[in-house]
Amino acid sequence: MRIAEPTVERLVQYHRLLEQLSSEGRKVVSSQEIGQMLSLKASQVRKDLSYFGEIGKRGVGYHVDRLFEHISGILASPKKWPIALVGVGRLGEALLGHRAFRSEKFDIQALFDVDPEKVGTNVMGIPCFHMDTAAEEIRRLGIQVIILTAPSSVAQLCVDTLTAAGGIRGILNFSPVSIVTPPDVLVYSVDISVELEKLLFYLKGREE
Amino acid sequence: MRIAEPTVERLVQYHRLLEQLSSEGRKVVSSQEIGQMLSLKASQVRKDLSYFGEIGKRGVGYHVDRLFEHISGILASPKKWPIALVGVGRLGEALLGHRAFRSEKFDIQALFDVDPEKVGTNVMGIPCFHMDTAAEEIRRLGIQVIILTAPSSVAQLCVDTLTAAGGIRGILNFSPVSIVTPPDVLVYSVDISVELEKLLFYLKGREE
């Protein structure tokens, strides 16, 4: 099933919200409530969920747990992707400590850095290797996904080294620069300051 | 001028890319090149830029510096928004240390936390106050925008305290929970693990 990117994004948001509601003991939720909590139109929520075969009951809504399981199934990966995080600075450590990144779904097996204080140690339980040995460790561990939190100045160099090792399928790039990869490597860039710029841009619009 | 949200996102991306190209001494860039570097169709790039009055020259492309200035004007805020960051943990510190957040455009004036090791000190040059005094400091400093990096468990409590102070116009939420605000407060949520889920979801699709 091919799903458009904004839909995937909303799907992941529904999933996260339903998990939260479930943990709070909620049994049902309406499309209006979901929409309000995620800043979406209720009609968009209904459209998305009916596309995936879930129809809310008029005046009742959706069963939280059933909808959660249903979306889990769609998002579920048939396997755990072996992941490495490259660049164990403040952002890298923040991600490693982030609840969501320590989920069972993600399997961060190795860290790479050049800092002698970090190389050879375990950071939050994960072994840190020197970038010089990245290619061989990637092959040894079968790493397929990279979380890139290296400084901008060396981001492309890291990517070149890592992809040259072979086997890398995707890169989640947190460095605020564009990176170039071989065509078979999928790149997702997350520029965390973009969101602040967007917020300020909308506030400006409200002010005018 | 009202601009749809995905367009704003691309506009910010063009802006960032052009800044990078300019710093590398590039004079011109084609819509194909921009598209390739940002994973967009060249036709989308041309459509976006022509909407903002910039027409590339056939076989030449766009003037990097001129286009950069043009987009800067559209994105520019007539004022600096006074910003506070709430929750000086690993993620908060990572954001404070992030090049993009130390830009002249952003004016992070205060930090709030409850950790006695941080309260009363300066973290990366910015004074950290106790959450108990947040309302009065927000009023004193005229804070209008909040970057929320507090733990999930206290995110809503922080938001309630902060918005009760009055004057808050927007919140950039990094906590992986939904937060509820008064209707006049604009919320943007950034869930950094969503991007990893999306990447893995697409890799799954390629695998099948």
Side-chain angles (χ1 to χ4, degrees), chain A residues 9 16 76 169 197 204, chain B residues 16 76 197-198 204 207:
Chain A
E9 172 119 26
R16 182 94 4 115
R169 305 281 314 279
E197 291 207 34
K204 172 189 169 189
Chain B
R16 182 93 5 116
E197 291 207 34
K198 279 163 57 182
K204 172 190 170 189
E207 196 101 310

Side-chain angles (χ1 to χ4, degrees), chain A residues 33-53:
Chain A
E33 290 171 303
I34 294 176
Q36 205 184 0
M37 288 185 274
L38 298 176
S39 304
L40 299 170
K41 283 184 185 162
S43 57
Q44 178 73 64
V45 174
R46 283 193 297 273
K47 192 178 153 202
D48 285 340
L49 297 179
S50 73
Y51 180 77
F52 296 109

Side-chain angles (χ1 to χ4, degrees), chain A residues 104-143:
Chain A
E104 283 181 4
K105 287 184 289 185
F106 307 141
D107 190 15
I108 305 180
Q109 296 197 349
L111 312 176
F112 296 103
D113 206 297
V114 293
D115 182 346
E117 303 244 318
K118 286 166 187 158
V119 171
T121 70
N122 281 0
V123 180
M124 300 191 208
I126 305 168
C128 182
F129 304 98
H130 196 282
M131 263 308 285
D132 286 351
T133 64
E136 74 192 73
E137 293 297 337
I138 281 173
R139 280 190 294 261
R140 185 176 68 86
L141 296 165
I143 299 293

Side-chain angles (χ1 to χ4, degrees), chain A residues 178-197:
Chain A
S178 301
I179 56 171
V180 180
T181 60
D184 59 328
V185 178
L186 195 61
V187 178
Y188 254 66
S189 289
V190 184
D191 194 328
I192 47 187
S193 70
V194 164
E195 301 300 322
L196 182 55
E197 291 207 34

Side-chain angles (χ1 to χ4, degrees), chain B residues 84 86 112-114 129-139 143 146 148 150 153-168 171 179-182 185:
Chain B
V86 177
F112 295 104
D113 206 298
V114 293
F129 304 98
H130 197 282
M131 263 308 286
D132 287 350
T133 64
E136 74 191 71
E137 293 297 338
I138 280 172
R139 281 190 294 262
I143 299 294
I146 299 291
L148 185 67
S153 54
V154 295
Q156 185 64 51
L157 188 66
C158 286
V159 166
D160 293 344
T161 306
L162 299 163
T163 53
I168 298 298
I171 297 176
I179 55 172
V180 179
T181 60
V185 178

